[in-house]
Amino acid sequence: MHLHDVWFVLIAVLWTGYFFLEGFDFGVGILTKLLARNRPERRVLINTIGPVWDGNEVWLLTAGGATFAAFPEWYATLFSGFYLPLLAILVCLIVRGVAFEYRAKRPEENWQRNWETAIFWTSLLPAFLWGVAFGNIVRGVKIDRHFEYVGGVADLLNPYALLGGLVTLTLFTFHGAVFTALKTVGDIRLRARKLALRVGVVTAVVAVCFLLWTQAHSGDGKSLVALIVAVAALLAALVVTRAGREGWAFALSGVTIVATVAMLFLSLFPNVMPSTLDPSWSLTVTNASSSPYTLKIMTWCAGIATPLVLLYQSWTYWVFRKRIGTHHIADAAH
């Protein structure tokens, strides 16, 4: 296996980790409006991800940086062609971070309610737009002979990509509902479990349609295996959620995300951005990669730094592993 193939796999792993981790905190942000009935319950939801949400976003920074260094042509075409949707995601992530930090800075109800509304929308929009972006990457876009995107924003809003957006939106919401049931106690835990079942059924329908469409468009034997694993894990997650096994449900919803992202990258390889104008103009792991020396240096750096980052983030989750409820909220206790 060549180093550019290795880095394609590593970038796929980084995106998988990002969607697994950021997926549930996007879902929790969405649930602040769908599940929480009052301010203490919204505070409980936000507190479940409070210690980890910023660490989850490191995976996005690493995935973007790795793409820039390992596949500069891919990075240039992707970020120039998808400029507006990626800018919208970036603005949402900035506002979302500010909302988490500033929501509790003042006691006024309007102040906190406005920031909580911002958390909802800046969780929902990226959850949808990431699916649209990756749907277009897999489907292919208008790339000319100079490896430049020559389409418009309207070209990105095609049925396949929009369905991909619905898949990530519903899947992340389901993932977040299962995580909420795992991390909370009391009535909010029971309602999160019930909501997870309802959202999970919708997720199963749209996910199966999207994955079958992907398989028919660009799949092979390996992507078919990933499709089967994704669907089986999602159905199993619904079964164990109904049985009240939140730990298993969260693990299985995570497997669904991992298998779904794996299927997309398996369908994509060896392309990184297919051209719908001419297949010979597609960006591939070969023509979009950096020099072998650059990839070699990156491999050594990643081999040293990655285990340390994984150990630190695992420790963070272990420290904040306890369940919480409204009785842990100071104002609600009185």
Side-chain angles (χ1 to χ4, degrees):
M1 180 180 288
H2 298 286
L3 280 178
H4 51 67
D5 297 328
V6 172
W7 274 97
F8 179 85
V9 174
L10 291 177
I11 288 172
V13 170
L14 290 171
W15 280 110
T16 302
Y18 174 67
F19 287 140
F20 179 93
L21 297 172
E22 190 86 312
F24 70 73
D25 72 42
F26 279 151
V28 170
I30 294 170
L31 294 180
T32 56
K33 292 292 186 182
L34 301 183
L35 180 65
R37 293 175 174 173
N38 49 47
R39 178 147 291 113
E41 290 191 351
R42 283 191 289 275
R43 290 179 62 184
V44 167
L45 291 175
I46 293 171
N47 286 352
T48 62
I49 60 174
V52 298
W53 68 266
D54 49 355
N56 295 343
E57 291 187 355
V58 171
W59 288 76
L60 172 62
L61 299 176
T62 309
T67 304
F68 171 77
F71 299 100
E73 286 282 359
W74 184 12
Y75 181 92
T77 303
L78 176 64
F79 280 79
S80 60
F82 293 19
Y83 179 80
L84 288 179
L86 292 178
L87 177 63
I89 291 173
L90 177 60
V91 171
C92 284
L93 294 180
I94 293 172
V95 174
R96 188 169 181 264
V98 173
F100 280 130
E101 298 298 330
Y102 276 73
R103 183 191 60 83
K105 296 298 183 183
R106 289 171 55 179
E108 290 87 347
E109 182 176 349
N110 285 341
W111 172 271
Q112 296 191 4
R113 184 172 60 248
N114 289 338
W115 284 120
E116 289 164 358
T117 300
I119 290 172
F120 169 76
W121 285 108
T122 55
S123 299
L124 185 148
L125 290 175
F128 176 74
L129 290 176
W130 278 126
V132 173
F134 271 83
N136 278 293
I137 292 173
V138 174
R139 171 182 175 271
V141 291
K142 294 180 179 179
I143 299 175
D144 65 11
R145 69 180 66 221
H146 304 294
F147 302 135
E148 295 179 359
Y149 178 70
V150 293
V153 176
D155 295 313
L156 303 179
L157 302 178
N158 54 80
Y160 176 78
L162 293 176
L163 181 60
L166 289 178
V167 170
T168 51
L169 176 59
T170 55
L171 183 54
F172 291 170
T173 305
F174 173 68
H175 197 42
V178 171
F179 177 79
T180 300
L182 177 65
K183 289 287 292 179
T184 57
V185 296
D187 182 59
I188 193 171
R189 174 187 177 187
L190 299 177
R191 285 189 281 115
R193 190 188 303 164
K194 292 178 181 178
L195 181 60
L197 287 172
R198 294 197 294 270
V199 175
V201 171
V202 177
T203 303
V205 173
V206 294
V208 168
C209 293
F210 177 75
L211 295 177
L212 289 176
W213 193 344
T214 303
Q215 180 65 25
H217 177 263
S218 54
D220 57 14
K222 295 178 181 178
S223 63
L224 179 60
V225 172
L227 185 156
I228 294 172
V229 171
V231 173
L234 180 55
L235 295 178
L238 289 172
V239 173
V240 295
T241 297
R242 185 178 181 84
R245 303 295 297 274
E246 288 100 350
W248 279 105
F250 180 70
L252 287 167
S253 66
V255 171
T256 304
I257 292 175
V258 170
T260 299
V261 178
M263 181 187 178
L264 295 181
F265 276 92
L266 287 170
S267 301
L268 191 60
F269 186 82
N271 294 320
V272 293
M273 284 191 76
S275 173
T276 57
L277 299 179
D278 188 330
S280 64
W281 298 344
S282 298
L283 288 168
T284 68
V285 293
T286 303
N287 63 26
S289 68
S290 295
S291 67
Y293 182 74
T294 300
L295 296 178
K296 183 178 180 179
I297 297 298
M298 289 175 60
T299 303
W300 278 105
C301 293
I304 296 171
T306 302
L308 298 176
V309 173
L310 292 176
L311 285 173
Y312 174 76
Q313 193 162 24
S314 299
W315 177 78
T316 303
Y317 277 92
W318 175 256
V319 170
F320 295 100
R321 67 189 182 279
K322 299 292 186 180
R323 294 177 182 265
I324 63 173
T326 52
H327 61 283
H328 294 110
I329 305 299
D331 294 341
H334 299 286

